[in-house]
Amino acid sequence: METDQRSIFTRIIAGEIPADIVYDDERVIAFRDIAPKAPLHLLVVPKTEEYRDVVQLAAGDPGLLAHLVAVANTLAGEHSDGDFRLIFNTGAGAGQTVFHVHAHVLSGELEEGSLAD
Ligand code: AMP
């Protein structure tokens, strides 16, 4: 049996897995985290899975990282009071579980003891 090597986020982008999508353009997609840690908890995800974390993204395509941040800011303004935390868990030891770079956009009070992991 073949194993699907694509990330879960690539499968969401392909429409194979349902998600509550709040934004979609040529370069990024954003949807609600399935296990929200704050009243607003979105994930903003580049459509390419070429970069496993924000360090790789910053080195490989800083323009795409800047776009991701701009989209996060716009969405925080649309879905909350505009103030937000932007979290990139980087490495398994820091709580990263999906190795397809993504930003957590959190607004409102965080769930106790949680920084998006
Ligand atoms: P991280 O642990 O930083 O890699 O973040 C991965 C995030 O993806 C977690 O907060 C998960 O709750 C979230 N997640 C995993 N699967 C899904 C899914 N199918 N739809 C929405 N969010 C998901």
Side-chain angles (χ1 to χ4, degrees):
M1 201 171 83
E2 271 187 36
T3 310
D4 191 341
Q5 298 294 324
R6 295 172 305 155
S7 78
I8 188 158
F9 295 158
T10 291
R11 299 185 63 204
I12 287 174
I13 291 160
E16 296 169 8
I17 295 175
D20 187 351
I21 295 167
V22 298
Y23 181 86
D24 188 5
D25 70 20
E26 329 72 63
R27 289 183 286 169
V28 303
I29 193 169
F31 48 88
R32 292 185 193 278
D33 196 292
I34 204 168
K37 303 293 195 296
L40 180 70
H41 186 170
L42 304 176
L43 300 175
V44 188
V45 185
K47 287 193 169 172
T48 175
E49 65 170 67
E50 183 178 349
Y51 307 109
R52 62 186 273 115
D53 59 38
V54 68
V55 176
Q56 286 194 0
L57 177 61
D61 193 343
L64 179 55
L65 174 58
H67 179 61
L68 186 155
V69 172
V71 169
N73 182 51
T74 299
L75 293 175
E78 288 174 2
H79 293 271
S80 74
D81 65 5
D83 292 343
F84 63 100
R85 297 171 200 256
L86 191 64
I87 295 175
F88 294 88
N89 294 326
T90 306
Q96 186 174 5
T97 57
V98 179
F99 293 88
H100 173 161
V101 63
H102 53 281
H104 295 259
V105 179
L106 296 134
S107 189
E109 202 154 320
L110 294 183
E111 301 285 329
E112 199 162 328
S114 138
L115 258 184
D117 61 351

